[in-house]
Amino acid sequence: MSKKPSQPLANELKPYVVPFRYDGTGEFHLKSHKTNEKGGLDKEKATGIIEANRERLSDFQEKLYAQDRWSLLLIFQGMDAAGKDSAIKSVFEGVNPQGCEVTAFKQPSTNELDHDFLWRSMIALPERGRIGIFNRSHYEECLVVRVHPEILAKQKLPERLVTKDIWKERFEDITAMERHLARNGTVILKFFLNVSKEEQRERFLARLEEPAKNWKFSLADIGERKLWAKYQAAYQDMIRHTAAEAAPWYVVPADHKWFARVVIGSAIVSALDRLDLHFPDVEKADRSEFKQVREALLAEGKGTKK
């Protein structure tokens, strides 16, 4: 990134960013991160921060698009009902959809399985000037595939390449890929929405009780709940091995959706603030041409009045 963030904004958002950011420095233990953190806020104060961040994000997005130098990749991971969909919808409310693209990664297709595990993510990367949002991502290959070895067995890999080191190797491949992207102007922020098992249970029950949300629920979700401990271990190992200065993880307390949105929005705005984004300067020759165009339009208006 090209510069230090403006101090007033950096200081204002620091309490909602720094405590939840992990860049690989020091040890990482998932259990040490509270899922019900509120950051000293109540919902009313949080709403004000969320709205302010939306305005900032909208402004930054216009400049990002116009400047056409940087791109922004946002990765959202979390257990079922952690709030990924609603967080993306809330944080980006009011942002020009032409400058953003959300990609939701589901079960790999036959075509995707005929490529390496990073392929489908690579072809969905944002262009310069744009924001790419991954709802789940290539990290599923180190999470659900790790928890369910039977999925790995169906991925057509040569048998001799499937060793006890495969997860370490995938962490290395992902880290190298993200480092390459960062060196070429893609700012990467990764969010793990850290929800408690108890809160997930309440959200599942709410989905069952509200007809409009029934479609979000399946019996498979209950099966995955039984593997909670394995998923938590997989997330901890993944974050430990793939967090980096150029591609940090944010362990977002997700039991209170409003606070999760404060953290996510603040992290994105703080990162964009570091880029010295601005609208491109217009060349002197272009300004002269603008003057002629203006005069022509004014003359055209006079002719209409006559």
Side-chain angles (χ1 to χ4, degrees):
M1 296 185 186
S2 61
K3 72 159 193 169
K4 292 182 179 179
S6 57
Q7 286 305 307
L9 183 55
N11 291 337
E12 179 183 341
L13 299 180
K14 185 177 180 180
Y16 316 120
V17 177
V18 175
F20 312 104
R21 184 180 187 274
Y22 179 65
D23 63 4
T25 304
E27 296 184 357
F28 176 78
H29 300 283
L30 187 54
K31 285 186 177 180
S32 67
H33 291 262
K34 295 180 180 179
T35 61
N36 62 350
E37 178 66 56
K38 297 181 182 179
L41 299 174
D42 57 29
K43 195 170 183 179
E44 184 178 353
K45 290 181 180 178
T47 300
I49 296 171
I50 292 168
E51 291 176 352
N53 280 338
R54 284 176 184 150
E55 292 182 12
R56 294 162 178 153
L57 181 54
S58 180
D59 178 61
F60 281 135
Q61 184 273 325
E62 284 191 56
K63 293 174 181 175
L64 178 80
Y65 185 84
Q67 196 177 55
D68 198 27
R69 290 291 183 270
W70 298 92
S71 59
L72 178 64
L73 175 61
L74 307 173
I75 295 172
F76 289 82
Q77 292 287 159
M79 297 292 287
D80 292 324
K84 298 180 292 298
D85 293 359
S86 60
I88 293 168
K89 181 179 179 181
S90 173
V91 170
F92 283 87
E93 183 179 320
V95 176
N96 188 341
Q98 288 185 314
C100 305
E101 184 171 0
V102 180
T103 305
F105 291 93
K106 306 293 185 181
Q107 184 176 338
S109 66
T110 302
N111 181 44
E112 289 167 342
L113 287 173
D114 277 333
H115 294 82
D116 66 272
F117 80 94
L118 288 173
W119 179 78
R120 66 175 183 164
S121 296
M122 294 297 287
I123 61 173
L125 290 171
E127 305 166 18
R128 296 192 191 281
R130 296 180 180 271
I131 299 173
I133 304 166
F134 285 3
N135 188 343
R136 301 191 186 274
S137 67
H138 43 278
Y139 281 105
E140 291 295 295
E141 293 293 330
C142 304
L143 293 167
V144 65
V145 178
R146 187 172 186 176
V147 173
H148 292 278
E150 66 275 13
I151 297 178
L152 181 63
K154 297 177 181 178
Q155 291 194 340
K156 302 183 181 181
L157 289 168
E159 289 184 11
R160 65 181 179 181
L161 298 182
V162 183
T163 70
K164 62 181 178 61
D165 295 322
I166 190 168
W167 309 117
K168 176 185 175 184
E169 292 167 355
R170 286 192 171 186
F171 292 150
E172 291 173 350
D173 293 339
I174 290 171
T175 302
M177 181 268 284
E178 291 178 348
R179 183 170 58 244
H180 164 74
L181 293 177
R183 287 173 174 172
N184 284 273
T186 298
V187 176
I188 304 168
L189 305 179
K190 302 177 292 192
F191 300 98
F192 168 54
L193 275 65
N194 188 24
V195 70
S196 67
K197 192 174 183 180
E198 294 74 19
E199 179 62 21
Q200 186 197 57
R201 174 179 173 274
E202 293 301 317
R203 293 180 186 178
F204 278 169
L205 287 171
R207 287 181 180 180
L208 290 171
E209 292 168 6
E210 189 174 339
K213 292 185 178 180
N214 285 174
W215 66 273
K216 288 188 173 184
F217 188 81
S218 72
L219 286 175
D221 296 334
I222 298 300
E224 294 298 274
R225 244 179 93 76
K226 294 177 181 178
L227 301 171
W228 186 275
K230 289 186 177 181
Y231 272 108
Q232 296 300 295
Y235 267 111
Q236 177 171 274
D237 202 34
M238 178 195 76
I239 293 171
R240 279 179 179 170
H241 286 89
T242 61
E245 177 64 31
W249 276 101
Y250 292 86
V251 183
V252 181
D255 280 1
H256 301 288
K257 289 186 176 182
W258 51 267
F259 187 66
R261 294 163 188 175
V262 168
V263 174
I264 294 166
S266 297
I268 296 171
V269 167
S270 295
L272 290 172
D273 190 40
R274 288 178 172 270
L275 301 183
D276 189 25
L277 299 171
H278 56 268
F279 293 111
D281 293 327
V282 178
E283 298 291 336
K284 188 175 181 180
D286 290 333
R287 289 187 183 278
S288 177
E289 185 177 322
F290 291 167
K291 184 179 179 181
Q292 296 177 38
V293 171
R294 183 174 184 275
E295 290 174 351
L297 290 170
L298 288 172
E300 182 181 307
K302 292 176 181 177
T304 303
K305 288 179 182 180
K306 289 181 181 179

